[in-house]
Structure formats: structure tokens, C-alpha cells
Amino acid sequence: MKFKFWGVRGSIPTPGPNTVKYGGNTTCIEIRTNDNDLIILDAGTGIHALAQTLLREMPVKAHIFITHTHWDHIQGLPFFIPIFIPNNQIKIYGGLDPVTNESINRALSVQLQYSFFPIREAQLNARMDYFTIKPGEPIHIGAAKITPIVLSHPVLNFGYRIDCDDRSLFFTGDYEPQLNIHDPQDEEYAEFQTYVDAKRQEVILAMKGVDALIIDSSYTSAEYASKQGWGHGTYDSAIKLAADAQVKKLFFTHHEPTRSDTELDVLFQTLLKNNPATGFDLMLAQEGAEVSL
Amino acid sequence: MAALDHEKLIAYVEKMPAFPKSVQQVVHLSSDLNASAKDIVHVIECDPVMTVKILKTINSAFYGLPNKITSVQRAVVHIGLNTIKNLALAVAAMGMLNRKNKAHFNTDDFLLHALTTAAISRMLAERMGLSSSECSDGFVAGLLHDFGKAVFAEFMPEEFRSALEKSKALQLPLQQTELEFIGLNHAQAGKILAEKWSLSEPLSDAIAHHHSPEVGSNPLRDCIFAANQISKHLHFGNAGNPVIEPFPDFMITRFGLPLVLLLDELGDLHAVENEALAFVRG
């Protein structure tokens, strides 16, 4: 199994001279199994460049797993060119939104409306299939097994574990571990903490021992102080999770949109200095980088 | 006799709005960027309608909880605060329960009874040494034990009014007159709904048998049975049932004391009433 980052930026695309190295496209990860089955995690703007490469291998059969429906994770769907070409098969997987009760097909249909896009849903020529998936119930695609888990974010968000060819990968989507909402002196604090601890154990188990953990680490711990509840994790929380889950490689992604290449490099050097003996590799996710597991 | 059937009952609850104070609070807190998470969660936890609608959603197979949960706080940890907040807002958008209904059933007094029963039930569960999650089940069981009555008042007001009036005039248990006029009493309705909402077995059993303490053995049921009698005895709110049921012998054994002595031991419960009053009337 191998994977490639096509988009690593959080929230909004950030093209320009300051993001040339790590890239400005929003989330998209291409996974190829040893049998060359194509699994795509999220459809941010990075999926457009991925689509260009797929035009060489028609007909395309793509399995797109959406972590959540925030714009930066679905914005590229209408620009995923294979959806317009006959004989392609595009399968889109995601959760059932508990608030709207809408399935994942809405992530595309909501964009293909007169006011927002020139092409209508009925004009898609590929065979489109949508699947509502459930946490803890694996999907099998060829040799790959994809297992979703609920990870807290301001909208329903799935982390995905992919096991394939004796290798494994976990991607969090956007994830802010829920902190205790009570103050330590509150009566409810202890009970709430048992729920926080139990959820953490569930998350660690889902990531356990993966070869690559790709995790939302938008903020430094200092920045996080003013961004609690925004739905994103920190470099430090990512390192702690990776250590507890005993992963092999940790990739920080969802780079904060105002963060320049230089700032990312400086941040990363500091992280390496402060975490000299983690027992696993630390890496910044970089657009275009390909990793064989 | 109208004979309320299961499907109708479940359909009524789908359409059922929440209590006025919590609807106002949820809307108010959700428009305040600085509102604290615990304030929002507290409002939801004190409203039986919002609580059940959130638990029902989160417990569905789409959200991957291996065990059914009964705690809104746990739902927050699992899926995130914003989703829970928006589920509550969706309930708030359905409007609010009528304070004045044709059944002449005062929903403020009802909520006061539910909240005090919930708080006392949790105290009793703690006193019994149950685990923290069982104690929080004790609160939820107390909050929801009379839920059926709120449904009757909103959707079958004439029949429920007759049941209330006959119960009051003849000092009969309300669950008996409900059976006569509605064909189903609030404990039976509660059981049907608890099963529909996938509440845990002990919780569903506690609601089903809170007027039949002789059936089976369930510490949670005993907590709400006792809390219910205490709340009625102290006139904390009013849920329309004039009859205070005596503790059966095994219940005295369970708590080590009969009702009056248990009351003494629990001390002054007016703090419980005041806290509930602050929520209901605020």
C-alpha cells in the first residue's frame, strides 16, 4: 500500500509564494493498494490535480471516503473530472448527518445547483453510487479494509483506518479531542473525565500500531488556548496520541491557512528538538509527497 | 375510550416540542459565542424532550456506540459539542410546549416534579453506592419517568383531563384513570418510548415499573419509586397524581428506612427544589 498527499491545507486553499513547499490545496489523500485499487480520502481542492492524473487510466473506479462535509473537504468534488466521463464508477462513502438526517450524496448535490455550479447532478455521466457507512462496520475494497470511527469535530466526522497488504494507515479527518467542559471543582468533573478517558482509549485502539498516522494538527499548544472548540488538534496532542497508539510514522496535516512554509519549517525543527526520542518518525504532510508503506 | 396505539404514541413524540424555558435558553446560549459548554449541556439535561431526542439520535447504529448511552455529557464527548447543540436547536425550532393546554395540566409544575424526582433519585443512587454512570441513569430515569403524561397533555388533552379530574376527585392513582380514559397509562407509554429510544434495559424497566414496585428487582426503579414519593410528599411541583404510595417491605429493606425516616436522613431538600425552580421559572 502507498499513499500520496494531494492537499494538506486546512480550511481554505492558500496558493502563493509562501506555500509552495508544503502546498496550498485543501485535504485530499490518494491511497493505492498493491492491486492498484484506488481509495481517496476527502475531496478538498487537492482532488483536482489528482483527477488530472486519472485521465490516463480510464475507465476510473474510485472509492472516495469523506471524513466530514465541511467545505474544505468536499469543495473539489465537482472538479473531480472522472464524474463527467461515461464508464467511470465513482463511489462516495460517508456518514449520516445526525442534525440534518442527510446522507453523503448531499455533499455533491448541494454544490451542483444553478446558483453555485453550471452543471446539474443529472448531467454527471459516470456511474455514481453513494454509501452511508457506520462507525465500527468495515468496508472491504479489494484487499483493503476501511473502518470508520467517530472523532469529535463541530460536525459529524469520521476517522478512517485502512488495513491492506499487511500495512495500515489512519487518517483523522478534522479532530479536536473533547476536553472536560467542567472545572475541576465542579461536581460533574470526575464523571465527565471518565467519558473523556474512555473515548481516548477507543481512539487509541482504532489507531493502534498503524504504519502511518495522519492527524489534524492545526495549532501549536499556545495557539490552541484561544481556539478551543474550533475543532482542531495540536502538534502536541498529535504526538501524545501517536505515542500512546505506538504508531510507526506520524504525519501532521491540516496546516493552518496563515502558516507559511518558513513558519512550518521553524515549527517543525522546534518539534523535533523538543521530542527527540518518540520512537516513531515525525513528518509534516507535504502536497505531492508519496509514501510507500 | 380512545385507545392510544404504539405507532400513534411514537408519532406524537416525533412532533413534540420541548419545554419553554429550555427552548429559550438553548436559543439564547447558542447565539452567544462566549456561552460555556457546560451551561448549554445543563439546559439540555434538564429538559426531558431534548434529552430523549438527543439520546435517540446518538444511540442509533449510525454513530457507532457499542453500548447504548443515557448521558448527554457522554454524547458530547463522543460526537462533539456543536452537533449536540445543533440537535437541541433543531428541537427548539419545533416550537415549545404549551404552558396552557386543554388538559389544564401545568407543564411548569410537571417539569418541577420531574427535575426534583431526578435529583432525589440520583441522591438515592449515590446513597446506595451505585457506580457514577448508574447514578447518572438515576437522574435520567427520574427526569423521564412521567414523560408519557407530557405526551398525553399535548396530544390527547380531553382524555387526559378526564383522567386527571377523576383521579383527583376520587383520590385514585392517575395510572389507573389514564388506563380508563386513554387505554394506556403513562408507565406503559414510557416503556414503549424507552424501548423505541433504545434506552438501556434497567432504565426502560425502571420507567415501566415505577408504579409497580412488586415487579422484578431493579435498584434504579427503586430509586425513582422512592424519589417520586418523596417529591410528591414535599409538594415539589405536581404531575397530577394525588396518591403517595407507601414503601413496600422490600423497599424499606433496600433503603434501610421507611419513607419518613429516609426523608429525615436526606435532610433539607429545598435546595433541590430551588435549583429546579430556578431552571423552570428562571
Side-chain angles (χ1 to χ4, degrees), chain A residues 1-2 31-37 39 141-146 161-169 211 293:
Chain A
M1 177 165 61
K2 61 183 179 181
I31 297 171
R32 292 286 183 166
T33 68
N34 291 355
D35 299 330
N36 208 34
D37 283 324
I39 296 163
I141 291 162
K145 181 173 97 168
I146 297 102
R161 182 186 175 113
I162 292 102
D163 290 281
C164 185
D165 309 322
D166 289 326
R167 292 289 181 271
S168 52
L169 171 160
D211 296 289
L293 294 174

Side-chain angles (χ1 to χ4, degrees), chain B residues 223-237:
Chain B
C223 288
I224 62 167
F225 174 87
N228 191 17
Q229 310 319 319
I230 291 170
S231 176
K232 284 191 280 189
H233 181 83
L234 297 174
H235 304 285
F236 290 167

Side-chain angles (χ1 to χ4, degrees), chain B residues 111-189:
Chain B
L111 188 54
L112 199 53
H113 172 70
L115 280 170
T116 52
T117 303
I120 296 166
S121 165
R122 177 161 56 199
M123 289 168 81
L124 293 174
E126 284 164 359
R127 184 182 176 276
M128 224 183 250
L130 300 185
S131 72
S132 74
S133 75
E134 286 169 312
C135 293
S136 111
D137 278 3
F139 182 89
V140 177
L143 186 71
L144 301 183
H145 76 286
D146 279 344
F147 194 91
K149 293 182 192 171
V151 183
F152 297 160
E154 184 75 2
F155 298 104
M156 306 192 73
E158 280 88 12
E159 293 86 345
F160 189 48
R161 184 178 171 180
S162 303
L164 285 166
E165 285 172 352
K166 183 164 182 182
S167 162
K168 189 175 177 190
L170 303 180
Q171 292 292 295
L172 289 173
L174 182 60
Q175 64 274 17
Q176 188 181 317
T177 58
E178 284 169 340
L179 216 47
E180 183 183 334
F181 291 97
I182 300 172
L184 192 69
N185 68 37
H186 66 272
Q188 294 167 324

